[in-house]
Amino acid sequence: MTKAEVEEFFARLQASNPEPKGELDYLNPFTLLVAVVLSAQATDVSVNKATKDLFPIADTPEKMHALGVEGLTRYIKTIGLYNSKAKNVIELCRLLIDKHGSQVPQDRETLESLPGVGRKTANVVLNIAFGQPTIAVDTHLFRLGNRTGLAPGKTPLAVELLLEKRIPKPYLQHAHHWLILHGRYICKARKPDCWRCVVSHVCKFKEKTPDPVSA
């Protein structure tokens, strides 16, 4: 995409959804961190179902840690990889208590030192909890960056770094959410809804899906 096309791409996404929000439920930065850790290889819907009873009773590292692995497992056993996630979350809580004054760190490197927290998870937390203009490249963003021509790259990191360079500053704060939601509901993996896409005219995807009704 050209610079002008990138500008229009995000201007149209902004016009269609001025204040995009993530779909994970949380109460504070700590519960957001836990929710994102639990969401690895799981849907936001499945995580929200598990945490609706968990977070009201365990909204701090101390309360969560007090549950122990077995206690936490009872709440999250409907989520994929729940055993390893329970162990990571409990250890994560211990480290937050012992090393960080029970506060969620506000820098990527420290976040990534916590169990179960990779670059993508850290970027989500930094963006949503602390308002930093980070971009978490999941499968949706990776697909969208390559398919549309917005930010082609062979790895998630390559796509992330190119997005950071190409997205105009006024759009950086919300870009993460716009792209995830667009990839989740419009620019879907198997059959994108190109006929109802607000940015289809600047998208470089050649095999655009026609309107099923008119087709």
Side-chain angles (χ1 to χ4, degrees):
M1 285 188 196
T2 65
K3 211 170 184 179
E5 287 172 333
V6 172
E7 170 71 35
E8 185 170 358
F9 185 96
F10 284 98
R12 283 179 170 264
L13 290 180
Q14 182 184 57
S16 65
N17 187 4
E19 293 292 332
K21 303 293 182 185
E23 296 185 318
L24 282 173
D25 295 334
Y26 65 98
L27 304 176
N28 52 36
F30 168 68
T31 53
L32 172 65
L33 174 59
V34 172
V36 181
V37 169
L38 295 178
S39 71
Q41 299 182 50
T43 65
D44 289 357
V45 171
S46 69
V47 173
N48 290 340
K49 285 181 180 178
T51 58
K52 67 180 176 63
D53 294 324
L54 172 64
F55 288 162
I57 65 156
D59 59 353
T60 68
E62 289 82 2
K63 293 176 184 177
M64 189 76 72
H65 190 266
L67 291 175
V69 172
E70 290 186 9
L72 176 55
T73 298
R74 286 198 291 269
Y75 287 93
I76 67 170
K77 60 185 178 182
T78 57
I79 301 174
L81 306 175
Y82 65 88
N83 279 320
S84 60
K85 289 178 180 178
K87 292 176 183 176
N88 282 337
V89 169
I90 295 303
E91 178 61 11
L92 176 153
C93 291
R94 186 189 69 78
L95 291 173
L96 289 180
I97 296 166
D98 291 349
K99 294 188 175 183
H100 304 290
S102 297
Q103 299 299 308
V104 176
Q106 298 189 34
D107 67 278
R108 184 189 289 121
E109 184 178 356
T110 308
L111 279 169
E112 286 189 66
S113 70
L114 299 172
V117 180
R119 186 181 182 92
K120 182 179 72 173
T121 296
N123 282 345
V124 172
V125 173
L126 292 174
N127 181 271
I128 298 176
F130 304 117
Q132 297 185 27
T134 53
I135 299 173
V137 177
D138 64 356
T139 55
H140 297 300
L141 264 80
F142 185 74
R143 177 179 68 252
L144 196 150
N146 281 282
R147 177 186 279 169
T148 63
L150 176 64
K154 293 183 178 180
T155 66
L157 180 59
V159 171
E160 177 189 335
L161 296 178
L162 188 52
L163 283 171
E164 288 180 348
K165 288 181 181 179
R166 304 207 72 192
I167 298 172
K169 286 186 178 180
Y171 304 113
L172 267 174
Q173 180 59 46
H174 291 316
H176 163 77
H177 284 126
W178 281 322
L179 295 175
I180 283 181
L181 294 172
H182 196 69
R184 186 173 290 168
Y185 298 111
I186 303 294
C187 196
K188 296 175 287 190
R190 293 186 180 180
K191 199 173 183 182
D193 293 355
C194 301
W195 72 92
R196 63 187 186 98
C197 173
V198 298
V199 293
S200 62
H201 63 296
V202 294
C203 171
K204 304 306 178 184
F205 182 51
K206 294 181 180 180
E207 301 173 4
K208 289 187 171 63
T209 310
D211 184 340
V213 177
S214 61

